[in-house]
Amino acid sequence: MRTVYLNGDYLPENEAKVSIFDRGFLMADGIYEVTSVLDGKLIDFDGHAKRLQRSMDELDMRSPIAMDDLLEVHRELVRKNEIDEGMIYLQITRGAPDDRDFVFPDPDTTEPTIVLFTQNKPGLANSPMAKKGMKVISIEDQRWARRDIKTVQLLYPSMAKMAAKAQGKDDAWMVEDGAVTEGSSNNAYIVKGNTIITRHLGNEILHGITRAAVLRFAKEAQMKVEERSFTIAEAQDADEAFVTSASTFVMPVVEIDDVAVGEGAPGPVVARLREIYLDEMRKAAI
Ligand code: PMP
């Protein structure tokens, strides 16, 4: 049984309870982060902590924990649950007022709820999908307009994932006004020659922590980076395609809406980026 963290306490997972009035439960009034663990160490904790703070600022939410303490909680959960490879899920909600109300509760009397738990994933960095590549479908992006805030409103991405599964595919790329925004739970990229193309930052996509690192490594490896919109047709015509996220790192995409990308198999640029990312991030893990 896992040990989880809830509002200052380490508890067995079946003893951690949250109120039915919690605004995360009633209104999806909550934000989250997922940090991966390799070799028992945290990957890019700093990036995730910064984005967490930004999500809270955007929603006028007060942090229930100092960032130094947050690092310690992550590390303690890794230790207690003996995680070598896996993820740590963190969620903060606006807390549980006495009753349901659209008005935000007074932060002086209603404390945020903070929950962290581990997900043990032996072999995370050695995923067979990295050799096989993912098949994706495209689907209209019907999420709200502030996708840059990492909220727990994951119903539409979950529906998109189910639509992909129903067609025997692995994931969905969402499309708005004819351009790809991002994957259901990852940022989307195409490769043309020596150029990596991925959508520019804005309110339309999540500012991936993995994205920032991968683009930095790509530039250091003398690849060209273009941050701009692209269409599904352009992606189908690309040499390679891939996605990034904290839990999948760099993952090749080999098919989009039944059309093979490039050779229809993971290509050399994606393989190289994945290797650089994993090497560099393992070295910098804390
Ligand atoms: N976009 C969306 C919609 C996501 O859910 C995620 C993963 N949480 C990402 C992008 C990738 O972000 P990160 O690299 O920070 O995990």
Side-chain angles (χ1 to χ4, degrees):
M1 195 187 304
R2 271 178 287 201
T3 298
V4 305
Y5 178 88
L6 172 63
N7 298 333
D9 298 317
Y10 293 94
L11 302 165
E13 63 185 36
N14 58 347
E15 286 175 28
K17 300 267 164 41
V18 177
S19 163
I20 63 159
F21 295 112
D22 195 279
R23 288 180 60 95
F25 176 63
L26 294 179
M27 295 180 164
D29 188 358
I31 52 169
Y32 75 109
E33 282 295 331
V34 177
T35 305
S36 62
V37 177
L38 293 177
D39 316 316
K41 290 184 188 166
L42 302 163
I43 301 296
D44 215 338
F45 175 81
D46 223 45
H48 290 283
K50 285 204 179 88
R51 184 172 61 189
L52 177 71
Q53 187 59 57
R54 178 180 182 275
S55 293
M56 288 190 287
D57 291 345
E58 291 296 316
L59 296 177
D60 225 348
M61 224 183 253
R62 235 183 244 178
S63 176
I65 190 163
M67 287 302 159
D68 286 353
D69 295 337
L70 194 63
L71 173 58
E72 202 35 55
V73 174
H74 276 75
R75 285 177 157 164
E76 188 63 21
L77 283 178
V78 169
R79 276 195 291 271
K80 284 187 190 299
N81 294 288
E82 298 176 359
I83 306 295
D84 182 52
E85 289 196 2
M87 286 99 79
I88 303 190
Y89 177 87
L90 152 74
Q91 180 171 333
I92 297 174
T93 78
R94 207 179 302 276
D98 293 340
D99 200 0
R100 181 175 182 270
D101 193 338
F102 279 78
V103 173
F104 288 178
D106 181 348
D108 289 335
T109 51
T110 300
E111 285 280 302
T113 303
I114 175 167
V115 178
L116 286 91
F117 57 81
T118 52
Q119 295 184 285
N120 192 27
K121 303 272 180 196
L124 184 68
N126 231 332
S127 157
M129 193 70 98
K131 293 185 186 72
K132 216 173 78 179
M134 291 168 50
K135 297 179 176 179
V136 304
I137 61 163
S138 62
I139 192 169
E140 191 64 26
D141 197 335
Q142 296 184 341
R143 296 173 299 164
W144 80 327
R146 288 304 305 275
R147 303 159 195 154
D148 57 309
I149 310 172
K150 197 165 168 62
T151 75
V152 296
Q153 301 178 69
L154 295 177
L155 181 54
Y156 191 72
S158 181
M159 289 167 71
K161 187 91 177 174
M162 292 307 290
K165 294 281 173 196
Q167 295 182 36
K169 310 299 181 190
D170 303 301
D171 202 3
W173 278 13
M174 294 179 281
V175 174
E176 189 168 59
D177 299 329
V180 174
T181 50
E182 57 190 330
S184 69
S185 59
N186 43 57
N187 290 113
Y189 308 72
I190 57 175
V191 181
K192 284 190 177 181
N194 193 37
T195 305
I196 317 277
I197 301 157
T198 192
R199 192 182 175 102
H200 49 282
L201 295 179
N203 293 349
E204 303 76 26
I205 63 167
L206 187 74
H207 302 188
I209 301 306
T210 319
R211 178 189 183 281
V214 165
L215 293 188
R216 192 173 74 241
F217 296 141
K219 285 173 194 162
E220 284 170 10
Q222 315 304 326
M223 295 177 203
K224 233 183 98 198
V225 173
E226 278 180 24
E227 294 179 68
R228 61 160 174 90
S229 299
F230 59 87
T231 63
I232 289 291
E234 190 180 3
Q236 286 170 327
D237 194 43
D239 297 327
E240 299 181 40
F242 64 101
V243 295
T244 65
S245 75
S247 55
T248 63
F249 314 115
V250 178
M251 197 58 82
V253 168
V254 296
E255 184 194 292
I256 305 171
D257 284 340
D258 292 317
V259 175
V261 178
E263 305 291 312
V269 174
V270 179
R272 179 145 170 255
L273 278 176
R274 181 178 173 90
E275 193 182 312
I276 297 174
Y277 178 82
L278 284 170
D279 282 355
E280 293 298 322
M281 297 316 272
R282 274 185 204 274
K283 274 191 240 159
I286 58 171

